[in-house]
Amino acid sequence: MTSASAAAPAPLPVDDGAPAGAPRERAPRAPREQDNRPRAPKRDLDGWVLLDKPVGLTSTQAVSVVKRLFGAKKAGHAGTLDPLASGCLPIAFGEATKTVPYVMDGRKTYRFTVRFGIETDTDDAEGKEVAASDSRPTDDEIVAALAQFQGEIMQVPPAYSALKIGGERAYDLAREGTEVKLEARPVTIFSLAMVERPDADHAVLEARCGKGTYVRAIARDLGRMLGSKGHVCALRRTCVGPFLEEDLVPLDDLRARVEAGEEALMEALDPVEFALEELPQIAVTPPDAHRLRCGQSVILRGRDAPIVDGHAAIFCQNALIAIGDVEAGEIYPHRVFNWARKAVMRPKPPRRDAPQD
């Protein structure tokens, strides 16, 4: 007879730090597609791909897929989208990564559906129910409440967010069962309107907001204000800064372009300067461009010199060479672009202006 001490130990349960039933930050990875084709060497590539991110992918996963399709050496994105969200995920290659902060600081537009009657711990459909209500608001009640969310308001971010508390991500602390208390922060919501009411349980809203605004918090606070509770059950980002929904490229379309050839793929790549359309643009001479590229300031001379204050995009002979701060007629460069290598991209016609308030 085998003694108990000699018996093989039972397998231990896997502990990933999340309490039972708690949502996971990352969606399950989809099985990798087998691709036995030889990999092309990575290349220097500059520009933007305006991806229409599908539901189910994290932003990091989406960037990895697009970077591999283009064979780019360097890539990043301008603003995280949750796995359950779809829509505008601007992906920057090469020199375009230097313009990411200007895109992230721009206005964003979201179309999202609020599910009334249930509040969750994550403020979206992935979370567990923490409160419920049988009350449902009328259309007039929703419209009246939305007016109180416009302008500069104080907003408490969701407990399941990437904000840090004592060096730890809030969502990591929440998963561990730690009570997360985040302070209210000022955010700006330029417009918030109801665009559809499919049924008593749901309302489709559209928000145009500034940096740092959490749409999940809008749904949570709206549900509480109306006495009906609520959470986001669907979310799509339609605009980020100068990048509009009409310019988005689906992932399947990019895959098809790879099969069609290099020319078709490059047609999906937008120039670096598209990210800076909302900045004033200043043209300088080649000697001044050289000084700016060396990190030196230059003075705007002549009676036709533009009157600009603050950030500006600097061009020379139609090429973007720097982003600088203009003070009292002098340009101080703080982002300089390397055009020693030829950019691989197609020219595009002038874009229409984004909708204004």
Side-chain angles (χ1 to χ4, degrees), residues 114 116 135-142 194-205 228:
V114 178
F116 293 112
S135 174
R136 298 294 183 270
T138 66
D139 290 6
D140 289 342
E141 289 172 334
I142 294 173
M194 183 170 69
V195 296
E196 188 179 351
R197 187 75 191 276
D199 52 53
D201 289 338
H202 300 86
V204 181
L205 309 181
S228 59

Side-chain angles (χ1 to χ4, degrees), residues 301-318:
R301 300 178 178 84
R303 62 182 181 181
D304 295 328
I307 301 174
V308 176
D309 247 350
H311 294 321
I314 317 301
F315 290 80
C316 179
Q317 298 176 341
N318 295 321

